[in-house]
Structures are given as structure tokens and as C-alpha cells.
Amino acid sequence: VPLQASGGGLVQPGGSLRLSCAASGRTFTVRTFSGYTVAWFRQAPGKVRDFVAAIFRSGGKTYYADSVKGRFSISRDNAKSTVYLQMNSLKPEDTAVYYCAADAGVILSALRSRQTYGNWGQGTLVTVSS
């Protein structure tokens, strides 16, 4: 699996978690990883998979869903072929399986669409509950 998501767990409301998405294999090398836009999506039980955040290739500009803006922060370390999602002030409605996805051909207008991304990780469960 070229993308490995990790870092999920159980956290109380108001708490924090940091998710990691590590890329590896022939698709993603240290040299090529910087050319991929990487996004996080999440899927709550019985709901569709929604866009959470993305970090664009090259310049690394970031984009967020309105529901997480100001609380979540996405960043990347190209030397480690890893993207992080720092999640602060977590709410029960943030409970979901979080997936990372990557693609080299992402255009801005399609950044938030899950159909845009050709490479997906296996997901990591985040549960926000007291």
C-alpha cells in the first residue's frame, strides 16, 4: 500500500490528535513526493466521504473544509514523504475514519473531490467522546 495513515485513536472533546500519512513504494519516492497533492478525507458511519484538508504540490498551499478551518492544520515533510494533519479542539462530530489520498494531477477546482485522487490509504479511526 503506497499510503499509510496512522495516528487515530480515542480522544475527549477539546483534545488533540496528529494524523500521519506516510508515502512509500515505487509510486512515491523522496524525489517525486513533492509533486503530489495530498488530501485528507473523512467518513462517518452512514455518511459519504467528505473533504477535510489538502496541501498542494510544490508550493504547499493549504485548503480546508469550513467545518475544520481554524482547528485543523495540514503540513508536509517532503524529505520524509509524509503529510500530517494536526487536529485541535476536537468535537464529537469529528468522529470518523480519516483517509489520506494523493495525486499528481490535481487542479484547484477539483481539489475537494474524492474522485480526483488515484491513491488512497487504508484509513485511521478517530473517535471523539467523553
Side-chain angles (χ1 to χ4, degrees), residues 70-88:
R71 300 188 297 122
F72 290 12
S73 177
I74 188 171
S75 61
R76 67 191 299 159
D77 184 340
N78 289 330
K80 296 182 178 180
S81 299
T82 300
V83 167
Y84 303 98
L85 184 68
Q86 178 66 44
M87 306 186 296
N88 299 327

Side-chain angles (χ1 to χ4, degrees), residues 65-122:
D66 288 343
S67 59
V68 306
K69 203 172 292 183
R71 300 188 297 122
F72 290 12
S73 177
I74 188 171
S75 61
R76 67 191 299 159
D77 184 340
N78 289 330
K80 296 182 178 180
S81 299
T82 300
V83 167
Y84 303 98
L85 184 68
Q86 178 66 44
M87 306 186 296
N88 299 327
S89 302
L90 282 162
K91 305 175 181 180
E93 51 263 44
D94 294 318
T95 295
V97 177
Y98 284 70
Y99 298 89
C100 61
D103 205 279
V106 177
I107 58 175
L108 188 55
S109 60
L111 186 78
R112 300 168 187 264
S113 172
R114 59 185 183 273
Q115 287 78 14
T116 295
Y117 299 88
N119 301 280
W120 288 83
Q122 83 286 7

Side-chain angles (χ1 to χ4, degrees), residues 17-39:
L17 281 176
R18 189 178 79 157
L19 306 184
S20 298
C21 176
S24 63
R26 289 190 294 176
T27 302
F28 303 105
T29 65
V30 172
R31 184 174 65 85
T32 64
F33 181 71
S34 62
Y36 283 78
T37 295
V38 181

